Amino acid sequence: MKPLKIAMMSMTHGHTRKYYQVLKENPKLDWVAVSTANETVKEIFRNSVEGIPCYDSDEAMLDAHPEIEAVVLASENSEHIRQMRLCAARGIHVLSMKVPTFDMDEYDEMIRLMEDAGLVCQIELEMHYNPVIARMKQLVADGRIGKINAFNATNITLSPVWAFPWQGVPEKSYGKRVPLKEGDPRFRGGALCDHPHIFDMIRHMTGSEFDQVYAQVAPNIRPDLEEEDMLSVIGRMKDGTVFSLDPSWSKMENRLPVPGPGWEVFPKRMEVNITLHGDKGTVMADCFGPNVYHSGLPNDRYTVQYTYFDEWVGLIDEFVDNIRGGKTPLINLRWHRETVRVMNACYESIATGRPVKL
């Protein structure tokens, strides 16, 4: 198979550096270039990766490299529509970071742009390629726990705002400045916008869609943020499955401008824990459990070294296979639209104080 000529845009998203190893080492890929959003991002990239041309704008990169076949949109949410328009006009396939947009009119335009141009647009939701998720999905498919009755999940992390400032700006994270609710000084765009994975996972596990959601927001544990960092969501799926979801920034962090060991205050910077209750049994999983813990550098304290890189390999392998085989991605724009619609419904529930029927 001919290697896919791929590039990255902006380099401002928190998942950006997770692609470096697989883009350089995967024989299915030919990493051509990157474009960086600003000088700070450019310097960080050049200190991390050697030998990849770096450009100051998306257009300059694409003009210099007409051979580029696909790009990773490693950018703030507000930039995705502009970059998708650019890619659609040039016939370039897209791997979009986990939320294409929260503006549903923009979302529908993205669908039209990609489909009219006959391009692959895959949404980066790496949890689908996590081996723990694959095992849980197989247990459900084999009937080991029977029919799912309840789904409980956490997607709790530290806040990425200090290393990736755009996530603390409502206009860049949510797409516009929308108050959480009357009398609350905060705006949409915080932890909920960062954590679509568990909303996606319940649809993946049950094969059902959301019927009703109710969400509440807590006081921030970081009072200087102008977006939410703590919330909880409950509800019901159309197949009757009830759920409880916690997509909060409830892990505390050291405010480092570049993420790395020592960023987390508590050793584990992220916890995705899922419990499936069925009529024949229960299965519980820590999706990011297999890590290495040590006492020592950089801060002479208990520190975690993450070991779960394999899911990024699977994600990229599927992306290449979709393009070369003319296939529709599992996590495509049309499928993922429902996840984003439900997340908007959570914000509506926070604003009104009432459940939202979908």
Side-chain angles (χ1 to χ4, degrees), residues 278-297:
D279 56 16
K280 294 182 180 178
T282 295
V283 59
M284 305 172 69
D286 176 355
C287 298
F288 296 116
N291 299 299
V292 176
Y293 297 88
H294 64 91
S295 295
L297 296 175

Side-chain angles (χ1 to χ4, degrees), residues 254 260-269 291-306:
N254 293 305
W263 193 15
E264 54 280 285
V265 173
F266 182 82
K268 201 169 181 181
R269 69 183 62 160
N291 299 299
V292 176
Y293 297 88
H294 64 91
S295 295
L297 296 175
N299 295 321
D300 293 321
R301 63 174 177 79
Y302 197 42
T303 304
V304 63
Q305 178 65 45
Y306 288 89

Side-chain angles (χ1 to χ4, degrees), residues 4-9 29-33 61-62 67-73 87 91-95 120 319-320 323:
L4 181 73
K5 294 187 179 298
I6 194 167
M8 297 184 74
M9 288 182 172
L29 302 174
D30 178 5
W31 190 3
V32 175
M61 178 183 73
L62 296 178
E67 72 274 20
I68 291 172
E69 299 175 84
V71 298
V72 179
L73 302 190
C87 290
I92 296 171
H93 303 283
V94 169
L95 177 60
V120 168
F319 184 51
V320 174
I323 292 171

Side-chain angles (χ1 to χ4, degrees), residues 28 44 49 67 79 86 124 166 195 246 251 266 277 288 295 329 342 352:
K28 298 177 183 179
I44 292 171
V49 177
E67 72 274 20
E79 284 293 291
L86 183 63
E124 181 233 61
W166 68 266
H195 293 152
D246 180 358
K251 297 287 189 186
F266 182 82
H277 298 282
F288 296 116
S295 295
V342 170
T352 62

Side-chain angles (χ1 to χ4, degrees), residues 233-253:
V233 182
I234 59 173
R236 182 179 61 243
M237 304 299 284
K238 292 188 184 299
D239 68 353
T241 301
V242 296
F243 61 83
S244 172
L245 309 177
D246 180 358
S248 298
W249 285 335
S250 53
K251 297 287 189 186
M252 293 304 292
E253 68 282 327

